[in-house]
Amino acid sequence: MTPHLLLVEDEEAISLPLRDRLVRNGYTVDVAMDGHTALDLATTAVYQLILLDIQLPGKSGLDVCRDLRQRGIQTPILMLTAFGETTDKVLGLKLGADDYLAKPFDNAELLARIEALLRRAAPAPSTILAIGPIRIDLRAATVQLNGQPVTLSAREFQVLAYFAARPGVLVTREELLTEVWGYDPQMSTRTVDVHIGWLRQKLEQDPKNPTLFVTRIGLGYQFVPPVKAV
Ligand code: CA
């Protein structure tokens, strides 16, 4: 997909050559010449990035930035500030801009900044852990076993996620209490055993003879990734 940029700049001497340059670099570009148009466009079309001049007729770039963020629009914003206007830079970042570049800027640097912001905003890599027949979606906090959803409590999910990130590693009850429950001297390690029991009921083929959450007597538990039965 071609990244779609909104260029907000009222000086044609800057905006026209810059737009051509961006198009030559593979972007599609809309241009707004004042703050109100910028806000209208940015709230109605989907952009991957907004290049936002500060000194604009109608509504300043800082106001546009603030209004967009207040409306929940999280499109990355690269502020184009006049040379030496440090307060504008600081204010822009406080209002939710992601980066700034002082005019006059070097085109190569602008292109590099744009690429960096687009990379940063790209969707995070998959958060699905596939462990034998178990699929754990860390972001959605959901679990499937053999393609069927499994209902876990929040704590059970946290315990499972903790083990799943450490396959084969011996985990002590104290470590689990500290890392998953948050250390509380009143809490009994028995709590851990109860939760492991529940997870076994929900995820083990034979909960009475667990092969997934294996007890290491006197030590703790070990999560042994299963091999899917053929
Ligand atoms: Ca301007």
Side-chain angles (χ1 to χ4, degrees):
M1 189 189 68
T2 314
H4 195 189
L5 309 188
L6 175 61
L7 169 58
V8 186
E9 170 61 70
D10 58 314
E11 286 170 63
E12 287 194 342
I14 296 175
S15 67
L16 294 183
L18 181 52
R19 182 193 59 192
D20 293 346
R21 179 76 189 237
L22 292 168
V23 168
R24 278 202 305 278
N25 279 273
Y27 298 107
T28 53
V29 183
D30 289 343
V31 178
M33 314 254 311
D34 65 83
H36 290 291
T37 308
L39 191 60
D40 285 348
L41 283 172
T43 48
T44 49
V46 174
Y47 296 99
Q48 276 69 53
L49 183 86
I50 300 170
L51 295 166
L52 187 55
D53 183 28
I54 290 184
Q55 305 279 340
L56 293 168
K59 192 176 184 72
S60 86
L62 293 171
D63 289 338
V64 172
C65 179
R66 186 201 55 220
D67 288 0
L68 286 173
R69 295 304 187 235
Q70 279 180 354
R71 293 179 194 195
I73 293 168
Q74 294 303 322
T75 311
I77 294 176
L78 175 55
M79 286 277 190
L80 304 175
T81 67
F83 179 72
E85 289 181 1
T86 314
T87 37
D88 281 352
K89 289 178 201 169
V90 173
L91 193 52
L93 293 173
K94 278 191 174 164
L95 291 173
D98 297 274
D99 198 2
Y100 62 84
L101 201 53
K103 290 194 247 182
F105 45 78
D106 176 57
N107 276 329
E109 181 173 6
L110 177 68
L111 290 167
R113 299 280 189 104
I114 290 173
E115 278 177 31
L117 281 175
L118 290 174
R119 246 195 330 268
R120 225 198 286 167
S126 167
T127 53
I128 309 273
L129 287 178
I131 301 161
I134 303 172
R135 280 173 69 83
I136 306 170
D137 186 331
L138 293 172
R139 203 182 301 161
T142 56
V143 177
Q144 290 187 347
L145 178 63
N146 294 315
Q148 298 299 313
V150 178
T151 306
L152 297 184
S153 72
R155 196 66 88 190
E156 287 164 4
F157 183 82
Q158 290 165 346
V159 172
L160 174 63
Y162 191 83
F163 274 104
R166 296 161 182 78
V169 175
L170 174 71
V171 177
T172 66
R173 292 172 175 81
E174 290 74 15
E175 174 184 345
L176 269 178
L177 274 184
T178 306
E179 298 299 325
V180 177
W181 274 263
Y183 182 70
D184 174 356
Q186 302 297 316
M187 193 89 78
S188 156
T189 51
R190 176 85 188 115
T191 309
V192 171
D193 300 332
V194 170
H195 281 77
I196 296 288
W198 288 334
L199 284 169
R200 282 173 173 161
Q201 291 292 334
K202 292 177 180 183
L203 297 172
E204 300 264 3
Q205 267 194 338
D206 179 3
K208 290 204 167 56
N209 296 295
T211 56
L212 188 58
F213 293 95
V214 176
T215 304
R216 298 285 305 277
I217 294 167
L219 297 171
Y221 293 99
Q222 197 171 9
F223 181 74
V224 180
V227 180
K228 192 170 183 174
V230 184

